[in-house]
Each structure stands twice: as structure tokens, then as C-alpha cells.
């Protein structure tokens, strides 16, 4: 039985070349940028593993909190992060540690409920493109189930060209459209940034016709507005028309 709903979601699925490469910062920046273009944006962290407890005893995931702060649709933290776990590890391991199951149908339904708060959803994956969720379902399957165009966040660090090309290949192999990519300076000491970007542009922009939506440098305060300032508004407008 298909898990796809009868109506498509408007927006993008955000994936990355690896974990800890700034997907959430970029998603928050895209939230602010598309909001500025007149969209009612719902940023959603599909799954989140790793929570800390506040002084009030509330368990909070850092990524969910960042996306919650970026949105303006009155979403709750649970709507932004519909499935959260305490342990900062792979989701299927975190679920096992808590004695919980990741239910495909329930998660997709929760994501769609959150997306309904606005007219344009930015749904962020977890880790890279193929992170296990259950024995027979991973984040690539999640992207297929949601049937949304994909945006690739490329963390600029050693190995980024290989990781970006492998991920782009995997996205296209699933029959998904790769709508754009964003370069994010994950390693502040990464050498030869210009040469790395040139190689990525040649292979993604020119080779695959996937436009670069922007290059975000290392920012002292990577707020949504600061990140949005480094995204190319004309390309985002083109993406909305595609």
C-alpha cells in the first residue's frame, strides 16, 4: 500500500551531505527567505535525536528550537519536531533505547499535519540522505513518500565534493528532483574553498543543471536572517515557479 497522500505538499525536502554540516541553520535561513517572498512557511524537523533538559525540566532539541524560532506561523515545538528522542545518535538506535517504534504511517501523518499550518513546507531530514529509520525504511524513503523536490546542503569540509556528488546521484536515482543546493562553511579552516566551490559548480550547476542557491560563510551569529542574506533571492523565486 502506498504511503503517499492524495495531495502533494508544496515546498522542499532538505537533505545534507552528512550530519553536523548545518542543515538546520540553512533550513532556518530558507524559512526566513521564503517567508520574505510571501510564503507561509512551516519548517519541520522530521525526526530529531538528542535533547537537553532546561532549568524548567523541559526536554528540548537544539535543531527543533532553532526552526521553531525561525517560523512565524504559531507552530508549537511538537509541530516543528513531531518525533524526538533523548539520545544524540542514529534515530533507529535512539528509538530502541527508549523502547519506542518509529511508525512510518504515523510520522508521515504528523508531518503533513504540521505542514498544514502554512502553505509552504520545508521538511528537514536527519543526518545524510540514507539514514536508517526502521529495518526497511530510511530517510531516502521518507523523501520519496513526501514526493517533494530536494535541496542539498553541502557542508564545505574535507571530502565535500565526493559526498555532494554521491548524494546528488542517490537523490536522482530515487526519481526525485534536485531543485538546488546550498554551500555551507562547516569547517572554518577548510582550505581551497574557491577551488572546491568551482568543482561543485561544474558538476552540479553545469553538469546536472542544479543551481546553487547560495554560499553561506562561517558566521559569528548564524541567525535565520544572517543566513538568508547569503541566499540568492532570484534563484529562490525561480524555484517557486518551477
Amino acid at each position: 500500500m502506498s504511503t503517499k497522500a492524495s495531495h502533494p505538499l508544496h515546498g522542499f525536502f532538505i537533505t545534507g551531505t552528512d550530519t553536523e554540516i548545518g542543515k538546520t541553520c540553512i533550513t532556518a535561513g530558507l524559512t526566513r527567505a521564503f517567508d520574505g517572498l510571501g510564503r507561509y512557511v512551516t519548517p519541520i524537523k522530521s525526526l530529531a535525536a538528542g535533547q537537553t533538559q532546561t532549568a524548567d525540566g523541559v526536554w528540548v532539541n537544539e535543531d527543533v528550537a532553532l526552526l521553531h524560532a525561525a517560523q512565524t506561523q504559531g507552530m508549537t515545538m511538537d509541530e516543528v519536531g513531531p518525533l524526538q528522542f533523548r539520545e544524540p545518535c542514529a534515530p533507529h538506535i535512539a528509538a530502541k533505547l527508549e523502547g519506542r517504534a518509529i511508525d512510518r504511517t504515523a510520522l508521515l501523518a504528523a508531518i503533513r499535519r504540521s505542514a498544514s499550518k502554512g502553505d509552504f513546507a520545508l521538511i528537514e531530514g536527519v543526518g545524510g540522505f540514507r539514514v536508517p529509520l526502521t529495518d526497511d525504511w530510511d530517510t531516502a524513503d521518507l523523501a520519496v513518500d513526501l514526493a517533494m523536490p530536494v535541496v542539498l546542503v553541502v557542508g564545505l569540509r574535507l571530502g565535500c565534493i565526493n559526498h555532494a556528488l554521491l548524494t546528488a546521484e542517490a537523490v536522482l536515482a530515487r526519481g526525485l528532483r534536485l531543485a538546488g543546493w546550498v554551500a555551507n562553511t562547516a569547517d572554518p579552516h577548510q582550505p581551497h574553498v574557491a577551488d572546491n566551490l568551482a568543482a561543485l559548480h561544474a558538476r552540479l550547476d553545469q553538469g546536472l543543471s542544479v543551481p546553487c542557491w547560495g554560499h553561506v560563510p562561517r558566521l559569528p551569529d548564524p541567525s535565520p536572517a544572517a543566513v538568508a542574506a547569503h541566499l540568492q533571492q532570484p534563484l529562490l523565486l525561480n524555484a517557486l515557479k518551477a
Side-chain angles (χ1 to χ4, degrees), residues 90-105:
H92 73 289
I93 298 174
K96 183 178 180 180
L97 290 172
E98 294 186 21
R100 299 166 63 189
I102 297 176
D103 184 285
R104 182 177 189 168
T105 301

Side-chain angles (χ1 to χ4, degrees), residues 114-176:
S114 293
S116 70
K117 299 284 289 187
D119 61 13
F120 192 83
L122 293 175
I123 302 175
E124 183 188 338
V126 56
F129 186 59
R130 291 211 58 191
V131 174
L133 301 177
T134 68
D135 289 343
D136 59 358
W137 191 50
D138 63 19
T139 50
D141 297 318
L142 171 62
V144 171
D145 286 340
L146 293 170
M148 302 174 78
V150 176
V151 177
L152 174 61
V153 178
V154 178
L156 295 182
R157 62 187 186 194
L158 189 63
C160 63
I161 299 173
N162 177 61
H163 291 160
L165 297 181
L166 285 174
T167 305
E169 186 177 274
V171 169
L172 296 175
R174 291 299 185 111
L176 295 168

Side-chain angles (χ1 to χ4, degrees), residues 182-208:
V182 178
N184 185 51
T185 308
D187 180 359
H189 306 296
Q190 166 76 357
H192 315 299
V193 169
D195 290 336
N196 277 270
L197 284 172
L200 289 165
H201 281 296
R203 288 158 178 81
L204 295 176
D205 298 58
Q206 298 166 30
L208 296 176

Side-chain angles (χ1 to χ4, degrees), residues 24-50:
T24 304
C25 281
I26 299 302
T27 303
L30 286 169
T31 298
R32 187 59 54 87
F34 282 118
D35 190 64
L37 294 174
R39 292 297 185 272
Y40 298 107
V41 185
T42 53
I44 301 164
K45 180 74 175 180
S46 54
L47 298 94

Side-chain angles (χ1 to χ4, degrees), residues 203-228:
R203 288 158 178 81
L204 295 176
D205 298 58
Q206 298 166 30
L208 296 176
S209 298
V210 180
C212 178
W213 289 1
H215 169 212
V216 181
R218 197 71 175 184
L219 299 170
D221 176 21
S223 67
V227 171

